[in-house]
Amino acid sequence: MTATKEHVTIKGNKDGLVFLFNDHCEFPVLLSELQYKLEKTHQQILSGPTINVHIKLGNRDLNVEQEEKIKKLVSNHGNLLIQSMESTSKDIKENNHDLKIIKGIIRSGQSIHYETPVLFMGDVNPGAMISSTGDIYVMGSLRGLAHAGKTNKGNKEAIIAASYMKPTQLRIANIVSRSPDESANEGTYMDFAFLEDDHMQIGKISELHKVRPDAFQF
């Protein structure tokens, strides 16, 4: 008798739990198995202190509706808190129509990843990390680590913008830069970081159209 192939694998590590999703099955099958495991076979993980969850999608791209279904299913079961959802897909959409708008605070120790460009309305505290396959816009203080253009090949066209730019580290694609010695605008105007000849540069947001004419064109 052939064993049924698992589409969802749940593993523990020092950071919490990792959900490994098979990227070949249909999404409804995946969702059904996830629900079954949370309700029937893994109830023991749904009690006690908060457990961080990192979801590995494999080579699967989710649309907004599918992503929300997974988030709702996980959040409805006990003490699980999704920290990241990562895909290894090379076919990443870089379209501002897919811009994800999030509100809140990313606190020290938290790491949040998005598979679309993201507009984060809140603060990214020291010790926290926000990453995206595309652009990152922080309408608040960026004091932690930000990584834009986080794809397999690295998207060097991505930018990082913040109302208050004092990060511990900036990353665009595979280029890493420490926080600039002083903000280009001393907090008066929104700044953005971009790559020019593989070097990190900081500019005024009013100059963004010169670097990225397509930014925020809907």
Side-chain angles (χ1 to χ4, degrees):
M1 183 177 179
T2 304
T4 302
K5 184 176 181 179
E6 289 192 355
H7 302 299
V8 178
T9 303
I10 299 177
K11 296 182 177 181
N13 63 20
K14 60 183 179 63
D15 297 320
L17 293 174
V18 178
F19 288 13
L20 302 173
F21 288 179
N22 182 285
D23 53 14
H24 296 296
C25 67
E26 295 293 327
F27 180 76
V29 175
L30 182 76
L31 199 66
S32 178
E33 183 169 324
L34 176 61
Q35 182 174 2
Y36 178 81
K37 288 198 169 183
L38 291 177
E39 294 179 353
K40 303 295 183 182
T41 64
H42 289 70
Q43 309 98 314
Q44 70 275 13
I45 68 176
L46 304 179
S47 60
T50 299
I51 300 176
N52 293 328
V53 174
H54 299 272
I55 296 177
K56 307 292 185 181
L57 300 169
N59 199 37
R60 180 190 296 270
D61 282 329
L62 298 179
N63 59 38
V64 175
E65 182 180 358
Q66 290 171 333
E67 186 176 319
E68 290 304 318
K69 284 183 178 180
I70 290 177
K71 289 180 179 179
K72 182 177 180 180
L73 180 59
V74 174
S75 64
N76 283 346
H77 290 81
N79 55 338
L80 305 181
L81 178 64
I82 294 178
Q83 293 289 351
S84 66
M85 298 179 70
E86 297 182 0
S87 171
T88 58
S89 173
K90 296 180 182 179
D91 185 21
I92 300 297
K93 296 179 181 178
E94 289 299 331
N95 185 329
N96 281 329
H97 290 286
D98 297 325
L99 183 73
K100 196 166 190 69
I101 301 176
I102 305 294
K103 300 177 183 178
I105 297 175
I106 307 179
R107 296 180 171 83
S108 178
Q110 290 185 307
S111 177
I112 309 296
H113 178 73
Y114 300 97
E115 293 297 323
T116 62
V118 60
L119 172 61
F120 187 82
M121 303 180 70
D123 295 335
V124 181
N125 288 344
M129 176 178 175
I130 182 170
S131 64
S132 166
T133 57
D135 300 334
I136 296 174
Y137 301 88
V138 178
M139 302 300 290
S141 297
L142 174 55
R143 298 176 182 271
L145 187 156
H147 186 176
K150 187 179 180 182
T151 67
N152 285 347
K153 293 184 178 180
N155 174 15
K156 293 184 179 182
E157 298 299 313
I159 64 118
I160 301 169
S163 299
Y164 186 75
M165 182 80 80
K166 287 294 181 181
T168 53
Q169 188 182 93
L170 294 175
R171 301 178 188 173
I172 298 178
N174 61 341
I175 306 299
V176 179
S177 175
R178 294 290 177 180
S179 176
D181 292 334
E182 55 183 60
S183 174
N185 304 300
E186 293 299 325
T188 305
Y189 301 102
M190 193 171 187
D191 296 331
F192 77 103
F194 62 99
L195 294 183
E196 185 175 68
D197 297 327
D198 284 352
H199 290 88
M200 195 85 68
Q201 306 290 337
I202 303 292
K204 298 179 181 179
I205 198 67
S206 59
E207 303 297 314
L208 175 58
H209 68 283
K210 297 180 181 179
V211 178
R212 280 279 307 280
D214 63 321
F216 279 120
Q217 288 187 1
F218 293 92

